[in-house]
Amino acid sequence: MSLETDPAALALRAARPTTLCVIGAGYVGLTAAVCLAQLGHRVGCVETDPGRLRAIRAGHVPIEEPGVAELLAAHLASGRLRVTDDVAEGVADASVAMLCVGTPPTARGDPDLRQIAHAARAAARAATDHLVLVVKSTVPPGSCEALELLVAPERGDVRVTVASNPEFLREGRAVFDFFHPDRVVVGVDPPGSAELVVSLYPAAWPRVVCDRRSAELVKYAANTFLAVKISFANEVAGLCEALGADADQVLHGVGLDARIGAAFLGPGPGFGGSCLPKDVSGFVAVAEAVQHPARMARAAEAVNEDAIVGLVAKIESAVGPLRGVRVGLLGLAFKAGTDDVRHSPGLGLATALAAAGARITAHDPLAVVPQMPGLQFDDPYEAARGAEAVVVTTAWPAYRELDLRRLRREMAGSVVVDAVGVLDGAALSAAGLEWYGVGRGRPLGFHPVVTGPLEWALEGEPASGPAISGGPAGG
Ligand SMILES: NC(=O)c1ccc[n+]([C@@H]2O[C@H](COP(=O)([O-])OP(=O)(O)OC[C@H]3O[C@@H](n4cnc5c(N)ncnc54)[C@H](O)[C@@H]3O)[C@@H](O)[C@H]2O)c1
């Protein structure tokens, strides 16, 4: 459902209209700013990137996010939204400053908190009355407490407190997600002081009010669990390839179990984007800091690294040594519906293939990668021209409509690796293409006879094992 067709969401109002400031106008901040204005708040949005600021002031949205442009235009016009590069102007009269700046990973994998420290200090310096800094950015547990100490020297006699209110939106659906949250998590110490932050949102929205460390950990744990699900699906897909089973059917059957659910349970090129890889490595870094092993998170990371390695190996076994081989990549955005290429599997694969000596060409309907000058084409068939292999790495709906016979004519070879499962296997074969996938398509390393589980039957007697009595929740 698009926002425009959802008048119920648009008619929602905050429990208590407030003057607030949003610092950082990226995917999270700009979406929050326009949606908070829609809820009835007066919002000062602060952005320091001159290009982004200019665009937003002119009513242009510098990110690909459906619904943001309409709300931006509406609230620049209504006067409920102001955009500035001056924190003092943004914070003036505000009782809340939402920190929505980036927390990118360092080379070690832990999050770089310099943007948030800088923004918090600037907001505290500009505060004229009690200000609550609400941390929407994803930060490790303990960060809100550390920020409160950090800003203490800046705030003079003015009271500045820090609350956690992590953001769960998905890129490409950010406005929809803002108005239809599964939950609003608010972390405050002491928990009784949550009222101001809670009242920023409509009273009917589900909420979790807890202490700050717990709120910060909800976000890390949720994203780590999603990553674990994706990696588990890829582990099953690898097993499907070895057994000759079909990962789509297997995971569909698994996901229909209401205790498990189908979301994030598809085989593919692994998880990417600006959040999951960073938040899983952040989870691991936090765990390391307190000598906790974080075995599941580490396993999810290891399986994810293997996803790209596995695709390279698959392409190589299909076309032979990669040096000098042309490979056309379809999809550079980390997922369909966004122009974001941060940690995208497509880009990761391009880098790995180039390192192996392959020559890469690519297409994406939205994403532009400055590091690939001259190698990116506006048309998927041009990207495929002269390629020995084509690899589909983002599940753009347009790729489902590809004319496969034309694709075959453009290519020099016939190998298609559909890493995201958007193409029809039978149609690929009918077009004269060799179809490989993740857990589907032509099996590589398939074991025709699986003897292990059958050994007892072949030998006549079942092996005796310990008696198993009913476990707690198994099925
Ligand atoms: N992108 C997502 O899907 C998503 C979802 C949930 C949570 N998050 C988290 O939210 C945070 C922001 O993510 P994003 O994707 O919006 O980042 P982003 O990089 O798109 O946007 C951050 C913006 O903050 C601006 N900025 C930095 N310092 C500033 C300052 N001192 N004053 C004003 N502006 C400043 C930057 O110029 C940039 O425009 C991160 O912690 C991220 O992990 C992101």
Side-chain angles (χ1 to χ4, degrees), residues 109 138-141 167-168 183 216-233 263-264 271-272 275-287 292-304:
T138 304
V139 293
E167 180 54 64
F168 298 94
R183 72 298 206 195
E216 291 165 327
L217 191 53
V218 169
K219 174 68 191 182
Y220 265 0
N223 271 2
T224 300
F225 185 72
L226 294 175
V228 166
K229 257 186 121 177
I230 293 171
S231 281
F232 182 76
F264 285 66
F271 57 83
C275 290
L276 291 199
K278 161 177 88 64
D279 295 349
V280 179
S281 65
F283 183 97
V284 170
V286 165
H292 185 280
R295 286 186 290 266
M296 304 275 285
R298 286 177 202 275
E301 282 185 318
V303 171
N304 203 49

Side-chain angles (χ1 to χ4, degrees), residues 69-167:
E70 293 83 343
L71 291 178
L72 177 65
H75 294 298
L76 286 174
S78 73
R80 286 220 291 273
L81 179 66
R82 290 168 296 120
V83 186
T84 176
D85 59 355
D86 179 3
V87 178
E89 191 189 329
V91 167
D93 305 326
S95 47
V96 167
M98 280 192 174
L99 306 181
C100 303
V101 297
T103 50
T106 65
R108 285 194 312 271
D110 52 346
D112 179 344
L113 299 178
R114 281 176 299 180
Q115 286 183 39
I116 206 149
H118 181 80
R121 275 206 187 102
R125 257 196 310 275
T128 53
D129 203 347
H130 179 198
L131 182 69
V132 182
L133 298 179
V134 173
V135 179
K136 266 212 167 304
S137 301
T138 304
V139 293
S143 299
C144 286
E145 292 158 57
L147 283 173
E148 213 161 79
L149 292 175
L150 184 83
V151 302
E154 313 286 344
R155 61 182 168 77
D157 293 335
V158 177
R159 202 169 149 229
V160 177
T161 48
V162 182
S164 166
N165 175 210
E167 180 54 64

Side-chain angles (χ1 to χ4, degrees), residues 28-418:
V28 169
L30 186 56
T31 305
V34 299
C35 293
L36 287 162
Q38 178 67 24
L39 288 179
H41 300 296
R42 295 179 61 78
V43 182
C45 180
V46 185
E47 172 57 57
T48 44
D49 180 298
R52 263 192 184 182
L53 181 71
R54 233 186 345 268
I56 296 167
R57 275 184 167 151
H60 300 308
V61 177
I63 51 172
E64 187 61 38
E65 205 53 79
V68 171
E70 293 83 343
L71 291 178
L72 177 65
H75 294 298
L76 286 174
S78 73
R80 286 220 291 273
L81 179 66
R82 290 168 296 120
V83 186
T84 176
D85 59 355
D86 179 3
V87 178
E89 191 189 329
V91 167
D93 305 326
S95 47
V96 167
M98 280 192 174
L99 306 181
C100 303
V101 297
T103 50
T106 65
R108 285 194 312 271
D110 52 346
D112 179 344
L113 299 178
R114 281 176 299 180
Q115 286 183 39
I116 206 149
H118 181 80
R121 275 206 187 102
R125 257 196 310 275
T128 53
D129 203 347
H130 179 198
L131 182 69
V132 182
L133 298 179
V134 173
V135 179
K136 266 212 167 304
S137 301
T138 304
V139 293
S143 299
C144 286
E145 292 158 57
L147 283 173
E148 213 161 79
L149 292 175
L150 184 83
V151 302
E154 313 286 344
R155 61 182 168 77
D157 293 335
V158 177
R159 202 169 149 229
V160 177
T161 48
V162 182
S164 166
N165 175 210
E167 180 54 64
F168 298 94
L169 61 78
R170 292 162 293 177
E171 284 180 24
R173 297 173 59 93
V175 171
F176 180 88
D177 286 351
F178 185 94
F179 285 107
H180 302 83
D182 291 330
R183 72 298 206 195
V184 173
V185 176
V186 174
V188 280
D189 288 308
S193 60
E195 215 251 324
L196 174 62
V197 185
V198 163
S199 68
L200 297 174
Y201 302 103
W205 288 1
R207 62 181 61 136
V208 176
V209 176
C210 53
D211 64 275
R212 293 181 290 191
R213 287 189 184 196
S214 300
E216 291 165 327
L217 191 53
V218 169
K219 174 68 191 182
Y220 265 0
N223 271 2
T224 300
F225 185 72
L226 294 175
V228 166
K229 257 186 121 177
I230 293 171
S231 281
F232 182 76
N234 277 338
E235 182 144 304
V236 171
L239 193 54
C240 286
E241 287 182 20
L243 293 173
D246 180 326
D248 279 339
Q249 302 293 352
V250 172
L251 291 165
H252 177 62
V254 173
L256 284 175
D257 187 323
R259 295 169 300 179
I260 297 170
F264 285 66
L265 203 65
F271 57 83
S274 68
C275 290
L276 291 199
K278 161 177 88 64
D279 295 349
V280 179
S281 65
F283 183 97
V284 170
V286 165
E288 257 171 15
V290 293
Q291 289 85 49
H292 185 280
R295 286 186 290 266
M296 304 275 285
R298 286 177 202 275
E301 282 185 318
V303 171
N304 203 49
E305 280 159 25
D306 283 355
I308 296 296
V309 176
L311 281 172
V312 173
K314 200 166 275 174
I315 298 162
E316 190 159 30
S317 52
V319 300
L322 290 170
R323 182 149 303 281
V325 165
R326 280 277 308 277
V327 180
L329 291 184
L330 302 186
L332 293 168
F334 85 88
K335 65 173 184 179
T338 182
D339 58 347
D340 197 343
V341 296
R342 289 178 281 184
H343 298 277
S344 91
L347 214 48
L349 183 63
T351 308
L353 287 170
R359 294 183 298 135
I360 307 299
T361 47
H363 167 266
D364 192 279
L366 276 185
V368 177
V369 179
Q371 304 94 297
M372 297 182 77
L375 301 177
Q376 222 184 311
F377 294 87
D378 292 339
D379 177 300
Y381 303 102
E382 275 184 62
R385 191 162 296 152
E388 293 294 328
V390 162
V391 190
V392 189
T393 38
T394 311
W396 285 109
Y399 295 152
R400 292 183 195 277
E401 313 301 326
L402 281 173
D403 176 344
L404 298 176
R405 292 183 191 279
R406 180 170 167 205
L407 190 75
R408 175 70 187 90
R409 284 197 302 276
E410 296 288 358
M411 292 173 63
S414 58
V415 169
V416 172
V417 181
D418 177 11

